[in-house]
Amino acid sequence: MNADLGEFVSTIYPCKFESQKVQAADVPKALAKLTHAETLGPTGPSIPLLAAQAFLIELSSIMLGKENRGILIPPDILHLAGRRPHRSHSHIPVSLALINLRLWSKKSGGIPPKSYVTVEADIAVALVSLLRRCFPDDDIFVATPHRIQRDAVKMALRKALDDETLEESLGRLSISDEYARHGVTVETIERLQGSEAPFVICLFSTPISSPDHLGFLLERRRLNVAISRTKTLCIVISSDAVLSPPTRALANETTTKGYAFLKEYQRRSWCYELPLEV
């Protein structure tokens, strides 16, 4: 794992994780090719795709040592290797990123959970399609706490395969439960344990801050397994209900420890605030 990821994972272990490699220089260069001027289809790109594109382009700029334009919120804790490019490397290694999904609706009654899960899945698929375009030979994991999230992402992927906007990026994408040599695996976190991929997208967002809901989502072991699957770049998709819940929602010590772990990830990540109307 890269130095910033290893340093983060070390926060819950007595031993320090040593960096095993440095992020390849072609990562930011490949992401930088996702220019805003690129044509993504005859009907134009979707809002989730545009948002994912802007996020990845700005992340590549940070990696290349360019000035932050304010699109991403910088980490509170910046790894020493992430402050400037080392003289022996052409870029700043960045392994930790977070998208804060802020959904809102003009309709009374709030956002139905099913609609929320659908939008979360659309964002994940947009990220998958763009990462596949940049890194066609690398594996991508989409790690979900709940089966309903897994099924929503798989459904969104199947829909995307029929969309001319995404078809070229996804190519012959296998979305079966079997692991492809170079493809995308969408699965619950428990079933991904023991495996790794260069790119991992973790879905930890919800509109609900109830103790029962967060008790499952904010289980520290589950968070650690999901995040530590990555070898190059981890993107956590979360929400205010998870990142800033009411005190009463942190009902026990287990949930509190998980919450502290996720907040530590946020403090070390480049964060993207993403408001979307549902």
Side-chain angles (χ1 to χ4, degrees):
M1 58 181 65
N2 291 311
D4 54 348
L5 178 59
E7 188 177 89
F8 164 67
V9 173
S10 296
T11 61
I12 61 170
Y13 292 102
C15 60
K16 182 178 180 181
F17 282 74
E18 297 294 337
S19 176
Q20 298 176 356
K21 65 183 182 69
V22 175
Q23 191 176 63
D26 62 350
V27 171
K29 293 178 181 178
L31 292 175
K33 294 179 181 179
L34 296 172
T35 62
H36 289 288
E38 186 176 2
T39 301
L40 295 174
T43 60
S46 66
I47 292 177
L49 193 62
L50 281 174
Q53 188 179 25
F55 164 70
L56 291 174
I57 289 172
E58 193 63 20
L59 199 59
S60 72
S61 295
I62 298 299
M63 292 177 179
L64 292 170
K66 298 180 181 179
E67 183 179 355
N68 181 19
R69 297 181 297 172
I71 295 176
L72 300 183
I73 301 171
D76 292 335
I77 300 176
L78 194 59
H79 186 273
L80 181 61
R83 293 173 185 170
R84 59 188 179 278
H86 190 274
R87 60 187 177 185
S88 62
H89 305 296
S90 60
H91 77 293
I92 299 170
V94 175
S95 298
L96 311 179
L98 183 144
I99 295 176
N100 186 3
L101 189 57
R102 290 180 163 174
L103 303 188
W104 60 281
S105 175
K106 295 179 181 178
K107 300 177 182 178
S108 60
I111 301 170
K114 185 177 180 180
S115 298
Y116 191 97
V117 170
T118 299
V119 175
E120 180 189 52
D122 288 342
I123 296 296
V125 169
L127 289 167
V128 166
S129 68
L130 295 172
L131 289 172
R132 285 280 291 181
R133 178 174 298 191
C134 297
F135 311 99
D137 295 327
D138 286 336
D139 291 332
I140 302 171
F141 286 175
V142 180
T144 71
H146 296 285
R147 288 191 294 270
I148 189 173
Q149 293 170 295
R150 176 197 63 189
D151 295 344
V153 175
K154 287 186 176 182
M155 183 179 296
L157 281 171
R158 291 189 181 96
K159 181 180 178 182
L161 289 173
D162 297 327
D163 188 336
E164 294 181 8
T165 301
L166 300 177
E167 184 178 10
E168 182 181 351
S169 301
L170 293 170
R172 294 182 178 180
L173 175 63
S174 172
I175 53 176
S176 67
D177 291 332
E178 298 179 358
Y179 289 82
R181 177 173 173 79
H182 294 303
V184 177
T185 300
V186 182
E187 198 45 271
T188 57
I189 294 165
E190 283 74 13
R191 295 193 64 177
L192 290 175
Q193 189 164 4
S195 55
E196 293 181 324
F199 301 96
V200 179
I201 301 166
C202 306
L203 306 188
F204 281 96
S205 73
T206 179
I208 304 169
S209 290
S210 69
D212 289 343
H213 205 71
L214 290 185
F216 180 83
L217 206 63
L218 292 176
E219 204 277 313
R220 190 172 68 177
R221 184 198 63 82
R222 183 174 290 109
L223 284 161
N224 182 43
V225 169
I227 293 168
S228 60
R229 296 310 89 203
T230 188
K231 295 192 289 185
T232 298
L233 176 63
C234 179
I235 302 172
V236 171
I237 300 177
S238 194
S239 60
D240 286 332
V242 181
L243 297 171
S244 302
T247 304
R248 59 177 174 77
L250 303 177
N252 54 56
E253 184 179 359
T254 300
T255 305
T256 301
K257 286 182 177 179
Y259 173 70
F261 186 63
L262 182 59
K263 291 296 289 185
E264 189 66 23
Y265 179 93
Q266 182 184 23
R267 294 179 65 202
R268 296 168 182 268
S269 300
W270 288 90
C271 299
Y272 182 48
E273 303 285 346
L274 179 53
L276 288 176
E277 181 182 2
V278 178

